[in-house]
Amino acid sequence: MNIENLSRNKSFDGWHKQYSHYSETLNCDMRFAVYLPPQASNGDKVPALYWLSGLTCTDENFMQKAAAHEVAAELGVAIIAPDTSPRGDDVADDDAYDLGKGAGFYVNATQAPWNRHYQMYDYVLKELPNLVESVFPVSDKRSVFGHSMGGHGALVLALRNPERYRSVSAFSPISNPVNSPWGKKAFTAYLGTDTESWADYDASLLMQKASQFVPALVDQGEADNFLAEQLKPEALEAAAKQSGYPLTLNRHEGYDHSYYFIATFIAQHLRFHAEHLKQ
């Protein structure tokens, strides 16, 4: 697999690097970032945390704003951050921020024109880890986490593929997208009007019927402007209660949807994942 290094920055004795590559899954060039902790420079393979960002974001938001490198370096865990959608002049798009480029929703689109490129579920699940594990000193011990739309994606990936992930966590995830305006709009465009197919990408519905468990941590700010209409953590809590899922959901007074919230609690998430990755 051919990849091109776009940038590199030393950080806490590790390296943050950006790369581009042609994605066979998405039929376009894609960019991703990787933080390699200092332990990786010894040739030892380190476990991997895959971060999925939210609407309008790229790989840069998390790597620059989350303050994750110091703890990742301490713990010896790599962080891989893909983009949030396919990119390119011939990739379908929409004028709104919540559909098209920057808003892939981590689904495999079935409807034209989106289905030509928007296969983010398979990209994050298969192609990107295969690439990362073949090029970098990164092992197949994986966990996944994300924010908002990315929190939705992380939960769905772990719930549908418990054999591939050691743990999952999310900040302010879209927990019940089949009942949220963001989810209804995206799923109608990408998946069509058959709402039964939407259930494959709804964390609350998946958790409700889960029989294999991946330890899950969710943090939600109580001052989040999207809390009631879009995020619906209460649906996830009810689903976990019904199936006995090992979910820890923390609510935090005064915190909003921003990276100030993420940076405040990122260390707890990294330590949570490291505990399971190193078992």
Short mmCIF file of all heavy atoms in Angstrom, two decimals, residues 9 17-18 31 44 59 61 66 75 106 132-133 158 172 190 197 200 226 235 237 264:
data_model
loop_
_atom_site.label_atom_id
_atom_site.label_comp_id
_atom_site.label_asym_id
_atom_site.label_seq_id
_atom_site.Cartn_x
_atom_site.Cartn_y
_atom_site.Cartn_z
N ASN A 9 5.46 15.98 13.37
CA ASN A 9 5.77 16.85 14.50
C ASN A 9 6.10 15.99 15.72
O ASN A 9 5.33 15.10 16.08
CB ASN A 9 4.59 17.76 14.85
CG ASN A 9 4.08 18.57 13.67
OD1 ASN A 9 3.18 18.13 12.97
ND2 ASN A 9 4.67 19.73 13.44
N LYS A 17 2.04 12.33 12.92
CA LYS A 17 2.29 12.37 11.48
C LYS A 17 0.96 12.31 10.73
O LYS A 17 0.04 11.60 11.14
CB LYS A 17 3.18 11.20 11.05
CG LYS A 17 4.55 11.18 11.73
CD LYS A 17 5.39 10.01 11.26
CE LYS A 17 6.74 10.00 11.97
NZ LYS A 17 7.61 8.90 11.49
N GLN A 18 0.90 13.05 9.62
CA GLN A 18 -0.24 12.99 8.71
C GLN A 18 0.18 12.26 7.44
O GLN A 18 1.29 12.47 6.93
CB GLN A 18 -0.72 14.38 8.33
CG GLN A 18 -1.60 15.06 9.37
CD GLN A 18 -2.09 16.41 8.86
OE1 GLN A 18 -1.33 17.17 8.28
NE2 GLN A 18 -3.35 16.71 9.08
N ARG A 31 -6.95 11.17 3.84
CA ARG A 31 -5.93 11.59 4.78
C ARG A 31 -6.25 11.02 6.15
O ARG A 31 -7.41 10.91 6.53
CB ARG A 31 -5.88 13.12 4.86
CG ARG A 31 -4.67 13.65 5.62
CD ARG A 31 -4.66 15.18 5.61
NE ARG A 31 -5.64 15.74 6.55
CZ ARG A 31 -5.94 17.03 6.61
NH1 ARG A 31 -5.36 17.89 5.80
NH2 ARG A 31 -6.83 17.46 7.49
N ASP A 44 8.98 -2.00 19.03
CA ASP A 44 7.91 -2.79 19.64
C ASP A 44 6.56 -2.35 19.09
O ASP A 44 6.31 -1.15 18.92
CB ASP A 44 7.92 -2.62 21.15
CG ASP A 44 9.20 -3.14 21.78
OD1 ASP A 44 9.79 -4.08 21.22
OD2 ASP A 44 9.60 -2.59 22.83
N ASP A 59 -9.10 15.01 10.66
CA ASP A 59 -8.18 14.40 11.62
C ASP A 59 -7.52 15.44 12.53
O ASP A 59 -7.07 15.11 13.63
CB ASP A 59 -7.08 13.65 10.86
CG ASP A 59 -6.26 14.57 9.97
OD1 ASP A 59 -6.74 14.97 8.90
OD2 ASP A 59 -5.11 14.90 10.33
N ASN A 61 -8.70 18.16 14.15
CA ASN A 61 -9.38 18.69 15.33
C ASN A 61 -8.94 17.99 16.60
O ASN A 61 -8.55 18.61 17.58
CB ASN A 61 -10.90 18.58 15.16
CG ASN A 61 -11.42 19.38 14.00
OD1 ASN A 61 -11.26 18.99 12.85
ND2 ASN A 61 -12.04 20.52 14.28
N ALA A 66 -7.34 18.05 21.59
CA ALA A 66 -7.79 17.16 22.66
C ALA A 66 -6.79 16.97 23.78
O ALA A 66 -7.13 16.44 24.83
CB ALA A 66 -8.14 15.79 22.07
N LEU A 75 1.26 6.04 28.35
CA LEU A 75 0.65 4.71 28.34
C LEU A 75 1.19 3.81 27.24
O LEU A 75 0.96 2.60 27.27
CB LEU A 75 -0.87 4.85 28.18
CG LEU A 75 -1.60 5.60 29.29
CD1 LEU A 75 -3.05 5.85 28.90
CD2 LEU A 75 -1.54 4.82 30.61
N TYR A 106 -20.16 7.38 9.20
CA TYR A 106 -19.57 6.06 9.42
C TYR A 106 -20.53 4.93 9.03
O TYR A 106 -20.63 3.91 9.72
CB TYR A 106 -19.09 5.93 10.86
CG TYR A 106 -18.13 7.05 11.22
CD1 TYR A 106 -18.56 8.17 11.95
CD2 TYR A 106 -16.81 7.04 10.77
CE1 TYR A 106 -17.69 9.22 12.23
CE2 TYR A 106 -15.94 8.09 11.05
CZ TYR A 106 -16.39 9.18 11.78
OH TYR A 106 -15.52 10.22 12.05
N VAL A 132 -2.66 0.54 8.53
CA VAL A 132 -1.89 0.98 9.70
C VAL A 132 -1.04 -0.16 10.24
O VAL A 132 0.16 0.00 10.53
CB VAL A 132 -2.83 1.53 10.78
CG1 VAL A 132 -2.11 1.69 12.12
CG2 VAL A 132 -3.43 2.87 10.34
N GLU A 133 -1.63 -1.33 10.35
CA GLU A 133 -0.91 -2.46 10.94
C GLU A 133 0.16 -3.02 10.02
O GLU A 133 1.09 -3.70 10.49
CB GLU A 133 -1.92 -3.55 11.33
CG GLU A 133 -2.81 -3.13 12.50
CD GLU A 133 -4.05 -3.98 12.66
OE1 GLU A 133 -4.08 -5.11 12.10
OE2 GLU A 133 -5.02 -3.52 13.32
N ALA A 158 -18.07 -1.04 17.51
CA ALA A 158 -17.77 -1.98 18.59
C ALA A 158 -18.94 -2.92 18.85
O ALA A 158 -18.74 -4.11 19.11
CB ALA A 158 -17.42 -1.21 19.86
N SER A 172 -20.30 12.60 24.10
CA SER A 172 -21.51 13.19 23.52
C SER A 172 -21.96 12.49 22.24
O SER A 172 -22.18 13.13 21.20
CB SER A 172 -21.26 14.67 23.21
OG SER A 172 -20.58 15.31 24.24
N TYR A 190 -28.28 8.44 2.77
CA TYR A 190 -27.27 7.40 2.54
C TYR A 190 -27.86 6.00 2.42
O TYR A 190 -27.33 5.18 1.67
CB TYR A 190 -26.26 7.40 3.69
CG TYR A 190 -25.45 8.67 3.83
CD1 TYR A 190 -25.07 9.13 5.09
CD2 TYR A 190 -25.04 9.41 2.72
CE1 TYR A 190 -24.31 10.28 5.25
CE2 TYR A 190 -24.29 10.57 2.87
CZ TYR A 190 -23.94 11.00 4.13
OH TYR A 190 -23.19 12.15 4.29
N SER A 197 -33.41 -0.77 7.72
CA SER A 197 -31.96 -0.84 7.49
C SER A 197 -31.20 0.13 8.37
O SER A 197 -29.99 -0.03 8.58
CB SER A 197 -31.66 -0.55 6.01
OG SER A 197 -31.95 0.80 5.68
N ASP A 200 -29.11 -0.99 11.82
CA ASP A 200 -27.73 -1.49 11.84
C ASP A 200 -26.74 -0.42 12.27
O ASP A 200 -25.59 -0.72 12.57
CB ASP A 200 -27.33 -2.01 10.46
CG ASP A 200 -28.01 -3.32 10.11
OD1 ASP A 200 -28.46 -4.01 11.04
OD2 ASP A 200 -28.09 -3.64 8.91
N PHE A 226 -27.01 20.23 22.09
CA PHE A 226 -27.61 19.19 21.26
C PHE A 226 -28.19 18.04 22.08
O PHE A 226 -28.69 17.06 21.51
CB PHE A 226 -26.57 18.64 20.29
CG PHE A 226 -25.92 19.68 19.42
CD1 PHE A 226 -24.58 20.01 19.59
CD2 PHE A 226 -26.65 20.35 18.45
CE1 PHE A 226 -23.98 20.97 18.80
CE2 PHE A 226 -26.05 21.31 17.65
CZ PHE A 226 -24.71 21.63 17.83
N ALA A 235 -31.67 6.96 25.84
CA ALA A 235 -31.98 5.76 25.06
C ALA A 235 -30.88 4.72 25.20
O ALA A 235 -31.14 3.51 25.28
CB ALA A 235 -32.18 6.13 23.59
N GLU A 237 -28.83 4.46 27.81
CA GLU A 237 -28.92 3.94 29.18
C GLU A 237 -30.00 2.88 29.29
O GLU A 237 -29.80 1.84 29.93
CB GLU A 237 -29.20 5.10 30.14
CG GLU A 237 -28.02 6.01 30.41
CD GLU A 237 -28.36 7.11 31.38
OE1 GLU A 237 -29.36 7.82 31.16
OE2 GLU A 237 -27.62 7.28 32.37
N THR A 264 -10.96 17.94 28.88
CA THR A 264 -11.08 17.80 30.33
C THR A 264 -11.06 16.33 30.75
O THR A 264 -10.50 15.98 31.79
CB THR A 264 -12.37 18.46 30.82
OG1 THR A 264 -12.34 19.86 30.47
CG2 THR A 264 -12.53 18.33 32.33
#
